[in-house]
Amino acid sequence: MEDHTGTCCKFNHNGSSLIVSYNNDTIYLFDTHDNSEYKHKYTGHRNHDTVKGVNFYGMSSEYVMSGSDCGHIFLWNTTTEDIVQCLVGEEDGIVNVLEYNPYSPMIASSGLEHCVKIWIPNLEEETEL
């Protein structure tokens, strides 16, 4: 981690964890009460071209989410580190910022396109990973 630059960090819902996104395509989760190495590592997205935000999702921070240089939105299970969702966020661009609504299952995303997109769950079709 010493050779890479942190691009964003966020505390979880109760401040016990901190996620940090680095420009080496890796997100690390740290325990804020323990000065040891990271507790979890999330990979699969691309973070080279622009600064990417990182965030938790869920009332108890059950998921970690990040945009990507490939235009996708990635969601990982916080505990298992598995990718549980990968959405096409930008057709020809990059997703830089993701924010969640703490009162409803809603995500706002923005990137190089000149708009903000609102995401809500639906059951029309399952996403294949």
Side-chain angles (χ1 to χ4, degrees), residues 34-93:
D34 182 357
N35 289 332
S36 65
E37 287 291 308
Y38 64 88
K39 299 295 183 190
H40 293 283
K41 178 180 175 180
Y42 311 95
T43 60
H45 71 302
R46 301 273 305 149
N47 185 11
H48 285 283
D49 296 338
T50 61
V51 173
K52 305 295 170 308
V54 65
N55 214 329
F56 285 99
Y57 179 70
M59 296 300 288
S60 298
S61 306
E62 297 91 343
Y63 304 98
V64 170
M65 61 180 182
S66 177
S68 178
D69 290 341
C70 66
H72 289 77
I73 296 169
F74 286 82
L75 282 95
W76 294 265
N77 179 293
T78 301
T79 306
T80 67
E81 304 173 7
D82 293 334
I83 296 172
V84 296
Q85 188 66 264
C86 183
L87 306 166
V88 177
E90 304 271 339
E91 291 293 330
D92 295 314

Side-chain angles (χ1 to χ4, degrees), residues 5-22:
T5 303
T7 61
C8 185
C9 60
K10 286 279 187 170
F11 287 102
N12 70 342
H13 70 287
N14 65 8
S16 63
S17 296
L18 178 72
I19 48 175
V20 183
S21 178
Y22 289 86

